[in-house]
Amino acid sequence: MNTIDRSSLIKFSQQLDIVQPSPVEILTLDWAAKAGVILLIKRDDLLHPIVSGNKWRKLCFTLANMPTQKSHIVSLGGGHSNHLHALGYICHRLGIRFTALVRGHYPALTTTLQDITEWGAQIRFLTKREYRERDTAAFISHIEQQYSNAYFIPEGGSQVHALTGVAALLDEITLPYDEIICPVASGGTLAGLIQGAQDSPVTGVAVLKGEGYLEALVTKLLPDSVEAKNWKILHQFHHGGYAKAPKALVDFCHDVTEQTRIPFEPVYSGKLLWAVRELVTSGAYALGTRLLLLHTGGVRGFV
Ligand SMILES: *Cc1c(COP(=O)(O)O)cnc(C)c1O
């Protein structure tokens, strides 16, 4: 395991006004009460108004370990990427030069790309073909040559340090729980929770169509010693694919947001809570089960 520079981690969170630790709250919903299931929610949506919760968890240890002689970060993602958005803001606030390699071409910038441009990011578009090569050694060495002295962070920030950052959030929780559940897109968050969990099973809710592919991503991220832990991904709650939001889901998000006063949006947290409701009401959990939901953030612009 790499040694982590904790003092620079603390310095960065202070400079960025990250409110850590995030609270754990009890979700009061009639269907959960009826089934006798206790829903706890870790409010990582409250870590920061702009930096999405799990993006901070995935990036914080990576940033803390950035070699001091590096003053430029290069990373990649899609035109709507929460990862690029979070990183763009962080680099702006910390005074680090940032280059975003973006998949495809956007003659009219998305709001995400507009924001990061305003924060001083340099944007370079990659063709879909170039982008497909993003994890190959040839691509990475090409980028490292082109941007000498830059620190390269892979897509979604998902790498070893990301797992450490996510795992650490479990140390902030003092209430007991029986199982952890979170949304899954690139698998980094789920992998980190699996790594950090003691004995509790960890369940991921896929927010996109990715049966088999997502399990492979998570397995690849996990060290061998951890892979055998008790985890699974559920694939029946993606509602048609990534960012697909049928009206029933959008209505559900508005209802639960109103009832709980906690913001739920349809891309991640809404699909998570929908899955939890289906599981709870179908009797998947024994009476008295304490289920811990991770609210990963991402509510900017929805509520
Ligand atoms: C990116 C993101 C996720 C998905 O996390 P992965 O580690 O990619 O699986 C979940 N929730 C929010 C709010 C996100 O921005």
Side-chain angles (χ1 to χ4, degrees), residues 52-55 58 82-83 156 158 166 182-191 207 214 242 265 267-269 295-299:
S52 198
N54 77 328
K55 299 302 180 279
K58 292 203 284 182
N82 276 345
H83 163 70
S158 290
V166 173
C182 74
V184 182
S186 76
T189 304
L190 177 65
V207 301
L214 289 177
Y242 183 72
E265 49 64 56
V267 184
Y268 299 105
S269 50
H295 196 315
T296 46
V299 289

Side-chain angles (χ1 to χ4, degrees), residues 52-192:
S52 198
N54 77 328
K55 299 302 180 279
W56 169 249
R57 300 288 186 185
K58 292 203 284 182
L59 284 168
C60 61
F61 281 34
T62 305
L63 290 168
N65 267 36
M66 184 162 118
T68 45
Q69 72 273 21
K70 306 247 173 182
S71 55
H72 179 191
I73 288 178
V74 177
S75 192
L76 28 75
H80 299 276
S81 160
N82 276 345
H83 163 70
L84 290 183
H85 195 266
L87 196 50
Y89 180 81
I90 290 170
C91 288
H92 164 62
R93 288 284 299 269
L94 298 180
I96 300 169
R97 198 178 137 209
F98 178 44
T99 300
L101 309 177
V102 176
R103 176 180 184 273
H105 187 64
Y106 293 87
L109 295 182
T110 62
T111 52
T112 299
L113 298 179
Q114 272 170 24
D115 281 353
I116 66 170
T117 306
E118 260 167 52
W119 294 327
Q122 198 85 43
I123 291 178
R124 199 181 120 197
F125 293 112
L126 298 182
T127 62
K128 289 179 183 169
R129 199 154 130 211
E130 287 173 311
Y131 198 82
R132 216 173 297 139
E133 304 295 312
R134 65 191 177 277
D135 290 329
T136 64
F139 178 89
I140 295 167
S141 85
H142 178 67
I143 292 296
E144 279 170 350
Q145 263 168 23
Q146 251 181 351
Y147 301 101
S148 56
N149 211 27
Y151 188 49
F152 181 72
I153 300 179
E155 185 178 53
S158 290
Q159 48 163 325
V160 182
H161 291 314
L163 268 57
T164 315
V166 173
L169 78 86
L170 293 173
D171 299 338
E172 298 174 0
I173 303 172
T174 50
L175 291 171
Y177 53 87
D178 302 304
E179 178 167 337
I180 309 167
I181 191 161
C182 74
V184 182
S186 76
T189 304
L190 177 65

Side-chain angles (χ1 to χ4, degrees), residues 203-244:
T203 298
V205 174
V207 301
L208 45 86
K209 290 185 191 170
E211 195 158 2
Y213 160 79
L214 289 177
E215 281 82 356
L217 280 182
V218 173
T219 304
K220 202 174 125 198
L221 285 168
L222 287 174
D224 295 342
S225 57
V226 169
E227 201 197 308
K229 280 196 189 172
N230 188 354
W231 65 275
K232 64 173 179 300
I233 301 177
L234 303 175
H235 293 281
Q236 66 273 41
F237 303 111
H238 57 62
H239 295 258
Y242 183 72
K244 293 277 190 307

Side-chain angles (χ1 to χ4, degrees), residues 15-43:
Q15 271 176 308
L16 290 161
D17 301 313
I18 302 281
V19 186
Q20 213 167 322
S22 64
V24 176
E25 292 170 2
I26 293 178
L27 262 182
T28 320
L29 288 159
D30 48 1
W31 44 263
K34 217 164 129 193
V37 174
I38 296 145
L39 303 181
L40 303 168
I41 187 161
K42 173 74 170 157
R43 300 284 312 273

